[in-house]
Amino acid sequence: MSDDELGEEEDTGPWIGEYEGDRNEKLERHGIGKAILPNKDTYEGSYMYGKRDGYGVYRFMAKAARNARYQGEYYQAKKQGMGKFIYPDGSRYEGQWVNDLKDGTGKYYYTNGDVYEGEWSKGLRHGKGRYTYANDKTYYEGSWRKGKWEGFGEFHFCNYKYVGRFRDNKMYGYGKFVFDTCCELHGQYFLDDKDALVLMDLATEAALVRIDEEKKGGEDGAVDDIEPEYRMPPSPPPIGPTHFEASQLTRLHVMTPEEEEEARLVAQLNSLREKVEAQAIEVHGEEEHGGKKLSSEIKEEEQFDEEGGEGERAASENEEAEQGEAEPEQAPAGGQQEGEMGGEEETAEEE
C-alpha cells in the first residue's frame, strides 16, 4: 500500500476534533497533547503552533486501514525525519521521510518475507539498494530508478551470480555470469524484438517534449509565472523479453567495463603519485647537498677516500719498516765519525 492511500487527517485548527494537552497564548496546540480527530484517528505527541511537530504516534482507525500507524518525527504536520510506518497488511517501513514520503535511506519488510534496504526518493526505491527474496534467498543489489532495477547491478543466485547492466527489472546489455567453479561466461542480453525499443524510445521522447512545451506556456509562447513541478528525471521506456547471447568462457577474473575503467584510473593515479614522489626526492637531495652532489655520488667519493687512505697508510707502514731495517747498519758509521771529531778537538786543545 502506498503512503498516499493512507493520508492523515488534518488537525491544524484549534477546535478540530477532541484535544487534551498544552496550548500557547493563542490557544493553539503547542507542546505535548493527545487528539482524537473527526475520522476517529488518534495522534499523541508533540505540537508546535497548532501543527504536529516533533515526535509523535499517529494511529489509523478506519476499517480499511485498521492497525496501521506511524511513529516518528514530524515537521509542520508532515512526516519528516526518522520514522516507522506499519501498514494495514502488516508490512512496515523503517527509515527516513521527507514531506510525508519515504525519502533517504530505509528498510522495508514485505508481508511475504522479502526485504529491501537502501535508498528511496519520493516514496519509490531509487538509488542504491538491495532486494532479498525470502523464498529462495536470491537477491538483487545495485542501482534502482523509480522502483525498478536500472543501471549497473548484481543478481545473486544460489551458486552463481550475474554482473552487468539492468533495465526495467530485466538483465539488459553487456554482462557476465560468474560461477562458483571459478569461471565466467561473458555475453550480452538483447531484446527479443529489437524494433520495439526504437518505437518506444521515440514515443516516450515525443511525450516528454509535449509535457515540457505545456509547462513553458500556451500557444502564444508566453511563459507562465508558475514554477514547474519538480519531478525525477524520466526513466527509460519499458522493454520486452530479453535473451542472452554468450561470447566467451574465461577463468576468473576478466573485469567488467566499469572495473576496467576503475583500474585504469587507479593506474593513472599510482603513476602520477610515483612521479610526484620522485620529484620530491630529487628536489630534497639538491637542497640538502647544495645542488652539487647526490647521495649516490657522495657514497662513491667516501668509498674512494677510504680506499685511498688505506693505501697511503699501507705505504707509510712499508717505509717505516724499511727505515727500521736500515738504522742498525748506519749506527757504527755514526759512532766512528763522532770519535774522529772528538780526537780532532783534543788535538786542538793540546796545541
Side-chain angles (χ1 to χ4, degrees):
M1 181 175 288
S2 66
D3 301 325
D4 297 334
E5 297 175 8
L6 291 174
E8 297 181 1
E9 183 79 5
E10 291 290 340
D11 60 347
T12 55
W15 311 111
I16 295 179
E18 301 177 13
Y19 176 75
E20 181 181 352
D22 300 331
R23 295 179 182 270
N24 59 12
E25 296 177 353
K26 297 181 180 180
L27 298 179
E28 295 174 320
R29 299 174 184 180
H30 190 86
I32 304 299
K34 180 178 181 180
I36 300 176
L37 306 178
N39 64 353
K40 304 305 179 182
D41 292 351
T42 64
Y43 172 79
E44 185 174 0
S46 178
Y47 282 88
M48 184 173 290
Y49 301 107
K51 295 183 178 181
R52 294 188 290 273
D53 201 302
Y55 182 82
V57 179
Y58 190 102
R59 291 179 171 85
F60 297 85
M61 304 306 293
K63 184 177 180 179
R66 190 170 296 276
N67 299 325
R69 68 180 182 272
Y70 169 80
Q71 54 190 69
E73 298 175 336
Y74 283 87
Y75 177 73
Q76 296 291 301
K78 301 286 187 181
K79 292 186 286 289
Q80 184 112 346
M82 295 299 297
K84 176 181 178 180
F85 202 117
I86 301 176
Y87 292 86
D89 59 359
S91 61
R92 73 182 189 274
Y93 169 80
E94 300 175 4
Q96 295 177 314
W97 296 79
V98 174
N99 197 27
D100 268 344
L101 295 174
K102 296 184 285 287
D103 202 303
T105 58
K107 194 171 185 178
Y108 198 106
Y109 301 84
Y110 297 86
T111 55
N112 62 354
D114 294 354
V115 177
Y116 171 80
E117 184 174 8
E119 298 176 342
W120 298 75
S121 179
K122 292 186 173 294
L124 298 174
R125 298 185 291 267
H126 189 86
K128 300 294 184 181
R130 171 172 171 167
Y131 190 102
T132 304
Y133 296 87
N135 58 349
D136 55 4
K137 303 302 180 183
T138 60
Y139 64 90
Y140 168 81
E141 185 171 11
S143 297
W144 294 74
R145 191 179 185 86
K146 290 188 175 182
K148 294 184 177 182
W149 307 340
E150 199 78 44
F152 185 79
E154 300 181 1
F155 196 98
H156 292 249
F157 300 88
C158 58
N159 58 353
Y160 66 98
K161 66 179 180 179
Y162 174 79
V163 181
R165 293 286 178 180
F166 291 80
R167 181 169 175 182
D168 191 28
N169 283 346
K170 301 179 183 69
M171 301 168 186
Y172 179 72
Y174 289 100
K176 64 181 180 180
F177 286 94
V178 182
F179 300 92
D180 292 349
T181 54
C182 298
C183 63
E184 300 178 347
L185 181 62
H186 296 254
Q188 185 175 359
Y189 270 93
F190 293 93
L191 286 173
D192 292 346
D193 185 2
K194 297 182 180 180
D195 294 334
L197 177 63
V198 177
L199 295 176
M200 285 190 292
D201 281 343
L202 293 175
T204 303
E205 184 177 356
L208 292 174
V209 170
R210 285 197 299 271
I211 292 173
D212 291 337
E213 289 177 350
E214 291 174 0
K215 288 186 177 181
K216 288 180 181 179
E219 298 179 354
D220 56 353
V223 179
D224 297 334
D225 295 334
I226 302 175
E227 296 183 0
E229 180 183 357
Y230 172 77
R231 60 186 176 91
M232 289 187 292
S235 295
I239 59 177
T242 60
H243 63 276
F244 184 74
E245 295 183 7
S247 60
Q248 59 178 334
L249 183 66
T250 66
R251 295 186 343 181
L252 290 176
H253 165 54
V254 176
M255 294 185 292
T256 63
E258 289 75 14
E259 293 169 332
E260 291 176 354
E261 180 67 13
E262 183 179 359
R264 185 182 66 81
L265 294 175
V266 171
Q268 287 182 351
L269 181 62
N270 291 335
S271 176
L272 180 61
R273 185 183 291 112
E274 290 176 0
K275 292 180 181 179
V276 172
E277 290 176 354
Q279 281 183 333
I281 292 173
E282 183 177 355
V283 172
H284 179 69
E286 291 180 355
E287 291 178 353
E288 185 175 0
H289 303 292
K292 296 180 180 180
K293 299 177 181 179
L294 296 176
S295 59
S296 58
E297 296 176 354
I298 293 174
K299 288 182 180 179
E300 291 178 359
E301 291 183 0
E302 289 177 353
Q303 185 176 1
F304 177 79
D305 293 341
E306 289 177 0
E307 293 176 355
E310 290 178 358
E312 290 178 358
R313 284 195 299 271
S316 62
E317 289 176 359
N318 293 334
E319 291 178 359
E320 290 176 359
E322 292 176 357
Q323 290 178 358
E325 293 175 356
E327 282 178 358
E329 297 178 356
Q330 294 176 357
Q336 183 177 0
Q337 186 176 2
E338 289 177 355
E340 292 176 355
M341 291 177 66
E344 290 178 356
E345 290 178 354
E346 290 178 357
T347 306
E349 289 177 356
E350 289 178 359
E351 291 178 355

